[in-house]
Amino acid sequence: MDLYEHQARELFDEYGVSVPEAEVAGTSKEARLIAERFGGPVVVKAQVKTGGRGKAGGVKLAAGPEAAELTARQILGMDIKGHTVRQVMLARPVDIAEEYYVSYVLDRATGGFLAIASAAGGMDIEEVAAERPEAVARVPVDPDRGVTAAEASRIAAAAGLPAEVGPVLERLWAVLVKEDAVLVEVNPLVRTTDGSVVALDGKVTLDDNARFRQSRWGEGDTVRDSELERTAAAKGLNYVKLDGRVGVIGNGAGLVMSTLDVVAGCGARPANFLDIGGGASAQVMADGLSVILSDPGVESVFVNVFGGITACDAVAEGIVQALGAVRLTKPLVVRLDGNSATRGREILEAAGHPLVEQVPTMDGAARRAAELALTG
Ligand code: GDP
Ligand code: MN
């Protein structure tokens, strides 16, 4: 479960990481009152569980209480990548001298953690990593030893960050361990003009497996930010909203994850993650399709099924029945492979739906779905 920025900020503060003074408001009136208490300018920040708020117009400087109220009115209710802004955080502005990037991420490949740090903070770290990989330091962290003072200095030095960042890295590690997080990211961590180091933004992802001992943030993600995710959750679907144009449905989380990668590799962006699991229920397929088709960003849908215990003919019948229940408004590309694929393909072919195309390979089908999304 992801925490909101204001929750991450609260944790950082508790662990001795400097953060700007800030308060949360749910209405523009409240925003005004907070700004009055602060006196002077404030930064108004959308509280949504997605990055890139700045670029989307969800982070704005307001000169005083009146401007804060107006800005909050603009930002509240805004849609940022499918997330509706219900709260804003008002923060006392900080004078930035330098912006850094620091994070700890779980590295499932090694069963350890990775410290990622860069002196080029404030911007999209994936972009920096792609364009200037040498500007991003990646230092493995042994979870048993953790981030000691010596380790913290090593990470800071590897990224070319000043020594003052060391203690902050130690405290952020403590947040990760004690709060059962699998990700702690600060972008930007800034050095202010008066020389202190302040976390200006924060993303913390808690380990859902540890939820039983981390009751503080409530029953987890019962509060969903995306309407589509809410609808999907109500239907019992394993759905996560993403920002692209290719709707994705697959059976098995691993297959769906790799489908997202393959779609991205074809130059399009997936619109969602949806794992319909084993079984071939027409109801689940219909529910999945209807959620995906109500995403306004979707231009094509890619159904990627590898028949295992559930054979492809049963899945194909499920798809045909679902198409009787849901009006298909976008092209559907289906790839059936594995157990009884031939029979499954025949069933779909016989149904002869004008918007359904079959492509036998995963790569080919992803390419076709991407192409349809880009021209759609
Ligand atoms: P994000 O776009 O969702 O990552 O939101 P951030 O909280 O990182 O804010 C985006 C950008 O706004 C930061 O990278 C900063 O450059 C800028 N910003 C945020 N707060 C302040 C502040 O107090 N002072 C200044 N000068 N810039 C700020
Ligand atoms: Mn940020």
Side-chain angles (χ1 to χ4, degrees), residues 5 43 45 51-54 59 93-94 96 99 122 187-188 200-201:
E5 177 194 21
V43 184
K45 308 183 77 176
R53 296 166 301 160
V59 177
V94 165
I96 301 176
E99 294 185 296
N187 188 26
L200 260 206
D201 187 8

Side-chain angles (χ1 to χ4, degrees), residues 263-286:
V263 167
C266 294
R269 290 198 301 158
N272 67 279
F273 170 100
L274 174 55
D275 169 21
I276 56 165
S281 143
Q283 189 59 52
V284 173
M285 185 59 76

Side-chain angles (χ1 to χ4, degrees), residues 87-134:
Q87 290 186 311
V88 288
M89 186 175 90
L90 291 101
R92 205 184 276 289
V94 165
D95 287 329
I96 301 176
E98 288 182 274
E99 294 185 296
Y100 315 127
Y101 174 94
V102 300
S103 68
Y104 295 116
V105 296
L106 179 61
D107 181 7
R108 291 179 199 274
T110 63
F113 279 87
L114 203 54
I116 304 177
S118 174
M123 29 192 152
D124 193 343
I125 195 68
E126 281 85 5
E127 251 168 57
V128 179
E131 282 160 24
R132 285 188 298 138
E134 73 287 351

